[in-house]
Amino acid sequence: MKGHRDNRTYVEDLERHGDLVRIKQEVDWDLEAGAIVRRVCELKAPAPLMERIKDYPGFRYLGAPIATYRRLAICMGMDPRSSVPDLAEEYLRRTTTEPIPPVVVDKKDAPCKQNILLGDEVDLCKLPAPLVHDGDGGRYIGTWHAVITESFEEGTVNWGLYRLMLYDSKLMAAAVFPFSDLGKAFLQRYEPQGRPMPFAAVIGPPPLAAVAASAPSPIPEPEFTGQLMGEPIELVKCETNDLLVPAHSEVVIEGVILPNVRLEEGPFGEYTGYRTSPRDKRLAFLVKAITFRDDAIVTISNMGVPTDEGQLLRSFSLGLELEKLLRSQGLPVTGVYMPPESTHHMMIVGVKPTYSNIATQIANLAFGSKLGPWFHMVVVVDDTIDIYNWDEVFHALCTRCHPVRGIRVYEHAVGTALYPFLNAHERKYAKGAQVLFDCTWPLDWDPLNEVPRLVSFRTVYPKEIQEKVLANWEAYGFPSE
Amino acid sequence: MNVWEVFINDLSELREDEDLELSIRTLNPGIYKYTYKKVRARVSTSPEKYPDKLHVRFGRGQPHDHVYSIQVLEELNVIPEEYL
Ligand SMILES: Cc1cc2nc3c(=O)[nH]c(=O)nc-3n(C[C@H](O)[C@H](O)[C@H](O)COP(=O)(O)O)c2cc1C
């Protein structure tokens, strides 16, 4: 399989699968586009390609680019009807192969260089940054994108999604958490040395590059994108710094993050489905160059109640990266799934309980890892439960988890200002709390006399009776299944 | 007349007729709508006292139903000279 090298082939593919609506009439960047994308997310409707944007001839919007599993399947070159376990298996397969390094192409072969604005021509307001939700602190040009910088290890690269608000014609403000790769690199190295940090913000990167940027994988994102795409991603050098950006990106904004400068950012409709984090002083991105393709497609993710990219793709990759971590420690996990409806707050782990308190070890690893600050609930079920079947998980949670012995509370956890259940002080200082729900039967219970027997069609009838009932199902008068 | 908007947590931040440092964004139509300026300004709850209008929103974006007036006295730099 070869991944889409840009949003254009992706759009064609979506259209071929009936998963795209071309909007020909003019759409206003001031709330109308955002409202369309929000409704698309809530209805799980096809992705809108808005072909005429008020005030911005020559630009288009692609909304909710990967807001459904169906679109993720199309983006990964799979059958659109692929199930979530199929998608998960394929992600795990691709991302455990050899990393595929990127190739660097010449500027003349890089469509993102078709238009170049430098010096006085640089003006962020020449880009159609949407006002996504009424009441947002500003127009957000970065909602589905990748911010490219050096990573916390000197000389390595990081691509991450950090929302980007237009402050004025040359400045953007961003919410970058201190525990993110960019946060660590900037706050621990660049800022203490008073050094401006070069960045490139790529709006409308190749779809799987954005998936890689939002995934918490330890593999550097260019190689990780190559793994997901099944071929090297083409990169090209920036105009004003040495960073490399995907050559087929739609828009590239280059500049520096300023040390010891903060700009007011937010509020913003967030992935939790609320506007929670307070307006605050956040990192300042000074822009030095803008390059973009002809008829550039600006991508918009509209965060709010499920389901949008923030929930779907973060849940997907957080769960699967945790699965890799647990397996790397030899834990007998059957799978890990994060329902997007939990707004990536609940990690469901299936395990074969081979020793006592294995759930505690799982939760300690999950909460203690780099992934930990992003969720606060770990639910551990045994291998008889289908982790993808919420009815089964919910039943196990409500029946097997002892309200005292089955619950372990983790106080003093790393949090973020975005958690709606934290109080104002906890949000300000990003102090979180986490909890484990252990839904496995204790191993010191006698399996014969103490472990309750599950009462279901599959577990309490002899095989012959089950077969007879199934064979006669329609004859009894029930519709066929 | 210009129309501006400010985000605050509490109305007490908008002390009337005193020099205040505020980050305000323009609501004038066009491609610069919603861009910010840091300014020294005076504000009043009386809508006619100062030349420009000032809309007010609270910390989570909720609009305040009363429109203030504002006079921008000076634009302030938000970033140090060395980076300009
Ligand atoms: C749509 C979307 C928006 C996001 N916005 C932010 C953000 O504003 N700030 C942030 O720190 N993380 C944000 N994230 C999460 C980061 O992209 C995620 O942590 C990513 O892995 C960053 O890489 P890092 O943790 O390796 O730095 C967002 C994710 C998505 C999918």
Side-chain angles (χ1 to χ4, degrees):
Chain A
M1 101 104 213
K2 298 272 179 271
H4 295 287
R5 69 179 189 176
D6 63 16
N7 283 284
R8 299 172 187 223
T9 61
Y10 179 50
V11 158
E12 283 166 19
D13 213 8
L14 288 176
E15 194 158 36
R16 209 160 49 78
H17 287 105
D19 213 340
L20 186 96
V21 169
R22 276 181 196 271
I23 301 181
K24 304 255 177 224
Q25 71 190 67
E26 185 180 84
V27 171
D28 198 336
W29 56 266
D30 189 354
L31 292 179
E32 187 185 2
I36 294 170
V37 183
R38 182 92 292 279
R39 191 158 156 78
V40 162
C41 288
E42 292 176 19
L43 298 176
K44 298 190 180 13
L49 182 72
M50 300 172 230
E51 298 189 325
R52 278 177 60 212
I53 307 172
K54 184 172 173 232
D55 300 328
Y56 292 97
F59 285 94
R60 297 176 281 170
Y61 284 143
L62 175 63
I66 319 181
T68 61
Y69 284 123
R70 192 173 190 278
R71 292 209 270 284
L72 177 59
I74 295 170
C75 174
M76 288 178 64
M78 295 170 64
D79 184 333
R81 291 162 305 181
S82 301
S83 65
V84 184
D86 287 346
L87 285 165
E89 194 183 320
E90 184 60 13
Y91 174 97
L92 289 174
R93 192 190 65 73
R94 290 187 198 177
T95 62
T96 47
T97 56
E98 273 299 298
I100 301 181
V103 292
V104 180
V105 300
D106 217 70
K107 203 167 139 173
K108 67 175 182 358
D109 298 318
C112 68
K113 304 285 189 185
Q114 281 165 348
N115 303 276
I116 299 178
L117 304 180
L118 291 165
D120 288 345
E121 294 170 322
V122 172
D123 183 347
L124 285 165
C125 296
K126 292 179 179 169
L127 299 175
L131 185 73
V132 179
H133 320 91
D134 189 29
D136 282 352
R139 296 165 65 178
Y140 279 76
I141 185 66
T143 59
W144 185 241
H145 60 295
V147 176
I148 297 179
T149 58
E150 194 177 64
S151 194
F152 58 90
E153 238 177 281
E154 201 147 1
T156 60
V157 69
N158 178 54
W159 299 1
L161 259 112
Y162 312 94
R163 71 190 197 204
L164 292 170
M165 186 190 95
L166 240 74
Y167 186 86
D168 63 22
S169 291
K170 303 256 191 228
L171 284 167
M172 300 185 291
V176 177
F177 293 120
F179 53 76
S180 68
D181 289 353
L182 173 52
K184 286 176 193 152
F186 183 74
L187 300 171
Q188 295 174 18
R189 223 147 35 78
Y190 278 82
E191 189 158 61
Q193 296 164 3
R195 270 201 294 156
M197 182 185 209
F199 77 87
V202 177
I203 318 299
L208 287 172
V211 172
S214 71
S217 163
I219 302 168
E221 287 83 358
E223 281 80 358
F224 192 75
T225 307
Q227 289 177 313
L228 288 175
M229 288 177 60
E231 63 179 338
I233 183 164
E234 293 183 356
L235 304 180
V236 66
K237 198 176 104 43
C238 281
E239 296 298 302
T240 58
N241 59 46
D242 289 333
L243 293 168
L244 298 170
V245 293
H248 294 268
S249 306
E250 299 289 334
V251 177
V252 180
I253 304 171
E254 303 175 12
V256 286
I257 310 175
L258 299 174
N260 308 311
V261 179
R262 295 293 186 270
L263 296 173
E264 286 181 350
E265 191 266 353
F268 187 56
E270 291 162 347
Y271 75 86
T272 57
Y274 303 88
R275 217 159 14 218
T276 304
S277 70
R279 185 176 178 77
D280 209 345
K281 299 225 167 188
R282 302 205 167 100
L283 296 193
F285 288 56
L286 177 65
V287 177
K288 300 201 163 167
I290 298 176
T291 78
F292 55 96
R293 294 178 71 156
D294 295 337
D295 291 320
I297 300 174
V298 167
T299 37
I300 307 178
S301 175
N302 182 325
M303 286 187 271
V305 297
T307 312
D308 55 61
E309 286 75 12
Q311 295 138 359
L312 190 101
L313 296 167
R314 290 286 288 155
S315 297
F316 186 71
S317 57
L318 275 165
L320 296 173
E321 292 300 328
L322 180 64
E323 181 168 336
K324 287 190 216 167
L325 173 73
L326 297 174
R327 284 190 196 281
S328 76
Q329 307 272 316
L331 282 153
V333 290
T334 51
V336 181
Y337 179 56
M338 252 195 164
E341 298 76 17
S342 77
T343 74
H344 69 67
H345 283 169
M346 180 187 278
M347 200 62 102
I348 300 169
V349 183
V351 69
K352 195 163 183 50
T354 44
Y355 47 89
S356 289
N357 292 331
I358 196 166
T360 309
Q361 192 181 17
I362 288 170
N364 289 348
L365 277 165
F367 291 142
S369 73
K370 173 185 155 67
L371 319 176
W374 290 105
F375 52 90
H376 65 282
M377 285 186 258
V378 170
V379 175
V380 179
V381 295
D382 68 27
D383 53 331
T384 62
I385 306 289
D386 175 0
I387 55 167
Y388 292 102
N389 184 331
W390 175 246
D391 288 352
E392 283 190 24
V393 173
F394 193 46
H395 179 243
L397 176 65
C398 296
T399 55
R400 303 188 190 190
C401 181
H402 189 282
V404 177
R405 292 190 301 272
I407 295 177
R408 314 241 215 295
V409 173
Y410 294 71
E411 292 181 67
H412 312 295
V414 177
T416 76
L418 276 62
Y419 279 116
F421 56 82
L422 296 179
N423 65 29
H425 174 84
E426 289 167 331
R427 283 184 209 153
K428 183 167 164 58
Y429 292 95
K431 292 164 151 223
Q434 294 165 323
V435 60
L436 159 68
F437 298 98
D438 181 354
C439 309
T440 62
W441 299 119
L443 287 189
D444 50 3
W445 284 11
D446 175 2
L448 211 56
N449 292 313
E450 283 179 284
V451 174
R453 185 99 167 87
L454 187 72
V455 181
S456 75
F457 179 74
R458 288 278 174 215
T459 55
V460 293
Y461 296 98
K463 209 161 184 311
E464 324 75 81
I465 296 289
Q466 286 186 40
E467 280 166 6
K468 183 178 175 195
V469 169
L470 290 178
N472 284 289
W473 196 245
E474 283 163 52
Y476 297 143
F478 293 103
S480 64
E481 284 171 3
Chain B
M1 187 199 61
N2 295 305
V3 186
W4 303 97
E5 191 162 50
V6 69
F7 282 78
I8 51 161
N9 284 316
D10 195 290
L11 288 175
S12 64
E13 292 168 41
L14 296 177
R15 293 184 308 279
E16 287 190 74
D17 307 317
E18 283 181 35
D19 279 17
L20 302 175
E21 270 191 20
L22 297 171
S23 283
I24 54 174
R25 64 180 190 182
T26 171
L27 296 185
N28 294 350
I31 64 165
Y32 295 99
K33 190 174 177 190
Y34 303 117
T35 55
Y36 282 87
K37 285 188 193 309
K38 190 164 177 197
V39 296
R40 197 164 59 78
R42 290 191 174 187
V43 302
S44 170
T45 50
S46 147
E48 307 303 332
K49 176 152 188 188
Y50 294 121
D52 292 350
K53 294 237 171 300
L54 180 70
H55 291 254
V56 178
R57 283 187 188 262
F58 294 99
R60 302 297 180 282
Q62 315 90 311
H64 181 41
D65 50 18
H66 182 77
V67 178
Y68 284 52
S69 64
I70 180 169
Q71 178 162 31
V72 174
L73 303 169
E74 184 190 2
E75 267 188 45
L76 305 170
N77 275 344
V78 284
I79 54 175
E81 291 288 334
E82 60 195 284
Y83 300 122
L84 290 174

